[in-house]
Structures are given as structure tokens and as C-alpha cells.
Amino acid sequence: MQIKTIDQLHQVKADAIAALKARNDAKTQIILGMGTCGIAAGGRAVLAAVEEQIKKLGLEDKICVYSTGCIGMCHNEPLLDVVRPGEDRVTYGSVTAEDVEKIFAEHVLGGNVFKNKAIARIPLEGAKAVDLPAYSEMPFYAKQRKNALKNCGYINPDSLEEYIAADGYEALAKAVLALTPEDVIEEVKKSGLRGRGGGGFPTGLKWSFCRKSQGPKKYIICNADEGDPGAFMDRSLLEGDPHAVLEGMALGAYAIGADEGYIYCRAEYPLAIKRLNQAIAQAEEAGVLGDNIFGTDFSFKLHVKEGAGAFVCGEETALMQSIEGQRGMPRPRPPFPAVKGLWEKPSNINNVETWGNVPCIIRNGGEAYAAYGTEKSKGTKVFALTGKINNPGLAEVPMGITMREIIFEIAGGIQDGKKFKAVQIGGPSGGCMPEELLDTPVDYDSLIAAGAMMGSGGLVVMDETTCMVDVAKFFLTFTQSESCGKCTPCREGTKRMLEILTGITEGRGKEGDIERLQKLARSIKAGALCALGQTAPNPVLSTIRYFRDEYEAHIKDKKCPAGACQKLISYRITDACKGCSLCARNCPASAISGELKQQFVIDQSKCIKCGVCMNNCRFAAIVRE
């Protein structure tokens, strides 16, 4: 059915809600988290086990099975939800194929929650509650506020009808039928939404520049080239709620006067690309994308462009070069894309999360969105939580929350009871924050003052076993290898910095290396062509700023305090050795020798410093120095 009026949209919504209710009243639902994280954790095997049980028990007419996106609890994947008619939705975590038979026997058929794997419940209106905490009562979710991710994990991303049932395309209908383009821009300005891709530029202001540019042809672009190590926010939104991104882009197109758009998504995201293409086809068939949307003269067509995975294509001018079929390399600005962008036409680029926020802003009003956050950083921000934490996953929190709350309440603290050391925020372009800055509010300006930056939202937590010099080397290795090579400061400067860092971690550091790193960093920041080059030194500068003592220990004492730099550590067998020979038998380099019941010794010239001997010693007789 082509949706050409607001009444038709409301009718489709009413029909979808009625169909969902009829299904829920008649059948038990089994919902599987089949985002990339769920699949990687073994979701396909769980799905196969579910289908086998249904067939074995002859329940084909009584059970409905479908997939959804990531709900955020990546640490509990695979996730399987059961919704019996008239009862709350129950979530099971870390489910294996072997658990499925027990869940069917206890819960699906028996009506009793299988407590061994049950995590929480999602309360449903008018449903019978079960004896489990609600999601909102869990520490992982208690401080989260969902805007961009409100549908992820809750709706079937393959279903346009379910998106419409969740108020989908209401904002687009409201905009094209009742608001002028200037009204839409003004609402986005009221919201205080800043670009969620890293720069934090005010979104409404950016749109207004492109709106004012002259010319009959303009483009809207979505930057889905998420390349930061440890970042998966955009991927999860595309996989879990693709129509929200399409609707956001259509609203942006209406606001600036564009009739065509591109989603530039890295090819390493096959599921996201599949769901995007499917969502575009569904939206065009329904008439909410394409020609004469809602019966107006506004038309908008979307294309998906697959990127080859170059980190530099996260920079907007390099991204446009790639869409045009050229090598992805930044170009000087001005002119800015709002004046001369894709194919030299005025263009507006925002990232996935920015577009995902737009529908709720237009639907509920900019002031409602601005009720969250701080004075200069409004709304919510999605973070990918990774590293040495107990609860890796995806969290959407109000701006202004502290880093301590995110790490120790939402992310569950540090693994194995170890001590927190630092958190890297903003990816390769960001910086490392030490323990004394954990109470820093998470907003654009506070993070920059701390020597970090918001970035796209990757958050990597490190414990006491992490070497901060090695961390700086890791991120600089990444940015140096990903440099497009166009400008000398980035191409050559990052290479020289990496050479110095490598020397420091291998025991070849010398006096003055820290100062040389700082001087090179200043030159790169001042002279690099694009933002990726200008921010490449940030991890080095922030680790020097907060962990200078570690650099000095590497250089002066030739020691790695964290015991992470292999060429600066050694293993020694103490007189606590019982001569059991277990270390020698497990040594992959045959570097350990000795007589039974006598103290064994390590040949340092053969030792590859893998630590296998220490891990296998039953008497704590081997020490790392």
C-alpha cells in the first residue's frame, strides 16, 4: 500500500498494532538477538536449536520466532526472549543450544521461568508480571535514557510495519505536511543536537548553511564508515533500527532542499548493509521514500555506497571523494561541503547516530530533547563499552553523566577485581583519562579540557596491567597505517612519532624522546590537512600528560611498570622452585632446563617472554621482573 496521506499512515499504524496484538494474544513469541554481537556469540546455533525444538514438539502453529537487533547487553549474548500470551517478556542470557530444550520444557510449555539463565523482564502493558527485575531496575540500564536506540532490541528490524507501529515516519509526515524546511531546522537548533560523529558541530546550524546554498541539486550523506577500534555504535543502530536512520535523513533532505542521498557504510558491516537495502526497498514500496512523499512535491531517493574500510574515509571530504569513485583522500577546506560537496554540489553530512536522533526531535519537539544533558551538550550519547570491564556493550546515557558512573555502574567495574588505570575515549583521535578524572562530566567541552574528546563514542577501559606507552603506540600504529599519505605532517610526522614510541617500548628510549614526541605532535596538529591527522597525536599527548612517569621508567630504568612490553621484562625462577619440571615441559622455546627436584633455570637468550612458565608454575616460583 502506498502511504500518501497522514490518515493512511495512521491506518497502517493501527493495523500494525492490531496485528501485533493478535499475534501476541494467540502465540508465544521467541525473540533472538541477532545483531552482529549475538551472531558472533553463537546466536545462529541457538536459532537452529529453537527451530529444531519447535519442529520436534509440533508447535509450528503456536510459536512465532523472529530476530531483533542489539539491546545493549553484548556481555550476555546470545540473548533469547520468551513472551507467552498475557505475560511479561522474559530475557535469557548467555544461552547455548543445549539450554534451549530446558527453556522450552520449563517456560515455553510449563509456564515457569528457567531461573538458571533468566536475566530480567520487559514489562508489557496489561501483562502478568514474573518474578524477575525489570530492565529499568538493572544497574546496566538504570541510568540509561534511550532516544537513538529506543527501538533496538525491541522491534523486528526487518519489519516496516513494526517501525510504523512504534511511531515510525510520524516525524516525516509532520514535517512535510505541517512544517516548512526552516521550521524543521529551527526545531533541530532548539534541541541543541551536536554532531555525534566526533566534531560536535551544532547540527541545526550545519543544516542552515546548506539550506542557504544556491543551486537546484543538493545531497544528504550518512557517514556510516565507523572505523575506530572498539566502536560499534553505528553498526548496532543500522542493524537494529534502519528505518530510523532513513527517516532522519529524509527529514534532513526536506530541511536543506535535497532530493538524493547516500549512506556510506563500510563493507565489513554486511548485516547492516543488508538491512539498509531492505529498509530502503520497503520504504520506497510504501511511498515514504521516493517520489512525492505523502502526496507532496518533496521527493527523496537513497543509495547505499559500500566503503573498503579506509579509516580516512570517516573524514567527510575523503568520504565524498570515495563516493565519486576516486581514492579517499581529504581535500582542503574552504570550500566546505555545504557550499561545494559531493560532485561539487552543496551537501550535508552527518553520522548514523546524529540521523537516528532526528525523528524523535521532530516528533516530540526540540525542547523535549534538550531537557536531557548540559547547557552546551544536549540530549543523549551512545557509547560502545569495551576493554577490561565486566559488562561490555552498548549504552545510551544523558550528556553530563560522569565517566565514573558509566564505568563502575553501567559497565559493572573492572574485571577480576583489578584496579582501574585509564579510559580511552574518542578512539585514535581521542585521549586517555586517568583515575583522578573519573568524575569529569561526559560532555564535549569537559572532555576537550581534559585532553580527550567525545569522538564517535568508543570507550576503551584499561586496568593496572596496561602499559600506557604501549597504548599510545597501539593507537599511533593504527593512525599511521591508515594515513592516506596526502599531507607531509601526517604521513611523515606520525611515522617519526611511531619510531620513537617503538624504541621506548623496546628499551631503546633515550633522554629527550618525550620532548621530541611533544614537538612532533604540535607540528602535526598545526599542519595536517584534515581532522584525522590533526588529532592523531592526541593519545600520545594525553598519556604523556597523565602517565609521564611510565615513559620515564621505560627510558631511564629500561623497565615497563605494567609488565606489558615484552622486550623490557624477564622471567626468573626463584629458590621456591620444587624441581617439578612443569615449566620446562610447557616452555615453547625450550628455554628452561634443570634436574628433577632441583631448581630450574631460564636461558634468557632463548626466552621469548611469553609467560607460559609462570602461568603453569604450581608453586609461584617464577617471577616477572
Side-chain angles (χ1 to χ4, degrees):
M1 171 184 176
Q2 282 273 314
I3 302 171
K4 289 298 181 184
T5 67
I6 190 68
D7 289 338
Q8 288 176 336
L9 178 67
H10 289 163
Q11 185 59 56
V12 171
K13 180 178 179 178
D15 291 345
I17 291 172
L20 289 171
K21 184 178 186 307
R23 182 194 70 186
N24 298 350
D25 290 344
K27 294 183 177 183
T28 293
Q29 300 169 68
I30 295 182
I31 307 156
L32 291 137
M34 293 292 281
T36 295
C37 53
I39 293 170
R44 287 197 177 103
V46 174
L47 175 59
V50 167
E51 292 171 341
E52 181 183 344
Q53 281 295 307
I54 291 172
K55 184 176 180 181
K56 176 182 174 182
L57 298 171
L59 299 173
E60 290 88 347
D61 295 332
K62 296 182 179 179
I63 292 180
C64 173
V65 180
Y66 67 89
S67 302
T68 188
C70 176
I71 205 166
M73 290 192 292
C74 305
H75 54 283
N76 275 321
E77 293 283 4
L79 292 167
L80 182 154
D81 287 18
V82 175
V83 191
R84 284 167 48 96
E87 297 180 5
D88 279 346
R89 177 171 166 176
V90 175
T91 298
Y92 293 94
S94 303
V95 177
T96 65
E98 291 72 29
D99 294 326
V100 171
E101 185 174 356
K102 298 171 187 174
I103 293 171
F104 265 75
E106 290 281 333
H107 191 178
V108 176
L109 299 177
N112 300 309
V113 174
F114 180 54
K115 290 292 183 71
N116 288 12
K117 289 294 180 84
I119 298 174
R121 65 186 174 92
I122 299 175
L124 302 177
E125 186 177 351
K128 172 188 171 185
V130 296
D131 185 22
L132 285 171
Y135 268 51
S136 59
E137 298 167 351
M138 299 173 67
F140 185 77
Y141 286 107
K143 292 194 172 183
Q144 292 197 46
R145 298 293 180 270
K146 300 291 186 79
N147 282 309
L149 299 180
K150 80 180 188 72
N151 290 330
C152 291
Y154 292 93
I155 69 170
N156 180 355
D158 293 323
S159 171
L160 170 64
E161 289 73 23
E162 286 203 28
Y163 180 69
I164 290 176
D167 300 326
Y169 291 106
E170 291 272 357
L172 182 58
K174 175 182 176 181
V176 301
L177 295 172
L179 302 176
T180 66
E182 290 77 13
D183 290 337
V184 173
I185 291 173
E186 187 58 34
E187 212 62 53
V188 174
K189 285 182 177 179
K190 283 182 189 175
S191 75
L193 178 67
R194 294 171 67 171
R196 298 300 194 240
F201 194 83
T203 304
L205 187 60
K206 190 175 188 179
W207 290 13
S208 68
F209 293 154
C210 201
R211 174 73 188 171
K212 292 172 185 175
S213 291
Q214 300 301 309
K217 184 71 177 181
K218 297 179 183 179
Y219 290 99
I220 280 285
I221 303 169
C222 174
N223 182 350
D225 191 58
E226 187 172 54
D228 292 7
F232 48 91
M233 303 77 57
D234 292 349
R235 185 198 73 206
S236 297
L237 180 53
L238 293 174
E239 291 176 354
D241 195 14
H243 282 285
V245 178
L246 306 190
E247 185 177 10
M249 293 183 71
L251 286 160
Y254 177 72
I256 72 165
D259 64 355
E260 193 172 1
Y262 284 85
I263 301 174
Y264 187 90
C265 186
R266 56 180 42 230
E268 291 97 326
Y269 286 178
L271 181 58
I273 290 169
K274 175 186 173 185
R275 287 185 170 158
L276 276 172
N277 283 320
Q278 178 176 271
I280 291 170
Q282 290 172 340
E284 287 178 344
E285 184 178 353
V288 291
L289 283 184
D291 295 325
N292 304 116
I293 295 171
F294 289 109
T296 68
D297 59 1
F298 170 58
S299 299
F300 181 57
K301 295 190 177 180
L302 260 174
H303 316 279
V304 175
K305 171 72 174 180
E306 296 184 32
F311 180 65
V312 73
C313 286
E315 196 277 336
E316 58 183 18
T317 61
L319 182 153
M320 290 187 295
Q321 295 273 100
S322 183
I323 291 177
E324 292 171 0
Q326 304 176 60
R327 182 179 177 186
M329 300 176 80
R331 58 195 190 208
R333 296 180 298 177
F336 291 94
V339 176
K340 191 175 181 181
L342 187 62
W343 286 298
E344 301 190 351
K345 306 298 183 185
S347 305
N348 184 89
I349 303 180
N350 289 113
N351 86 320
V352 172
E353 186 185 341
T354 309
W355 291 122
N357 274 296
V358 172
C360 72
I361 289 171
I362 302 304
R363 186 170 57 245
N364 302 323
E367 291 178 356
Y369 186 84
Y372 295 107
T374 66
E375 182 182 353
K376 295 183 179 180
S377 298
K378 301 293 187 183
T380 57
K381 179 74 187 78
V382 180
F383 287 100
L385 312 176
T386 60
K388 302 296 184 69
I389 49 175
N390 288 311
N391 299 333
L394 206 64
E396 185 173 1
V397 295
M399 290 281 198
I401 192 172
T402 66
M403 194 65 73
R404 187 182 301 277
E405 289 173 284
I406 295 175
I407 294 171
F408 287 93
E409 296 182 39
I410 296 172
I414 310 303
Q415 288 176 350
D416 304 321
K418 287 188 166 61
K419 187 179 177 183
F420 170 87
K421 188 169 191 177
V423 56
Q424 170 79 7
I425 182 168
S429 300
C432 293
M433 298 173 61
E435 186 172 14
E436 57 263 33
L437 294 180
L438 278 178
D439 293 312
T440 299
V442 176
D443 63 61
Y444 290 98
D445 303 314
S446 298
L447 291 176
I448 289 173
M453 64 182 292
M454 186 77 71
S456 58
L459 213 162
V460 183
V461 179
M462 293 160 270
D463 67 15
E464 59 194 285
T465 65
T466 306
C467 170
M468 301 312 296
V469 185
D470 190 52
V471 165
K473 187 181 82 168
F474 168 80
F475 281 108
L476 202 65
T477 299
F478 178 84
T479 49
Q480 201 281 319
S481 65
E482 292 289 339
S483 171
C484 75
K486 184 173 183 177
C487 71
T488 303
C490 179
R491 182 185 68 245
E492 298 298 327
T494 56
K495 188 175 183 180
R496 298 287 87 80
M497 288 185 74
L498 182 57
E499 288 172 352
I500 295 171
L501 284 169
T502 301
I504 292 173
T505 59
E506 292 181 354
R508 295 181 282 107
K510 52 187 180 291
E511 290 291 338
D513 275 353
I514 295 175
E515 290 72 24
R516 276 185 281 275
L517 285 170
Q518 291 173 318
K519 183 177 180 180
L520 280 165
R522 288 193 293 269
S523 298
I524 295 167
K525 289 176 77 69
L529 176 61
C530 77
L532 297 184
Q534 293 159 12
T535 58
N538 284 353
V540 181
L541 290 174
S542 64
T543 50
I544 291 174
R545 178 178 177 181
Y546 297 118
F547 300 95
R548 190 184 182 100
D549 59 329
E550 288 199 30
Y551 280 83
E552 292 174 344
H554 282 70
I555 294 169
K556 296 176 182 178
D557 305 328
K558 308 302 179 187
K559 293 288 184 182
C560 175
C565 297
Q566 282 197 343
K567 293 196 176 182
L568 294 182
I569 61 173
S570 61
Y571 291 88
R572 179 173 61 85
I573 301 176
T574 69
D575 56 11
C577 175
K578 305 297 182 184
C580 70
S581 80
L582 193 60
C583 56
R585 283 183 278 137
N586 282 280
C587 178
S590 300
I592 304 176
S593 60
E595 299 291 331
L596 286 174
K597 298 185 179 179
Q598 301 293 321
Q599 184 175 344
F600 277 61
V601 294
I602 300 174
D603 184 340
Q604 297 298 330
S605 66
K606 293 182 180 179
C607 179
I608 60 173
K609 303 175 183 180
C610 62
V612 170
C613 56
M614 189 169 73
N615 293 336
N616 280 279
C617 182
R618 299 172 180 171
F619 307 104
I622 302 177
V623 294
R624 181 173 59 200
E625 299 176 325

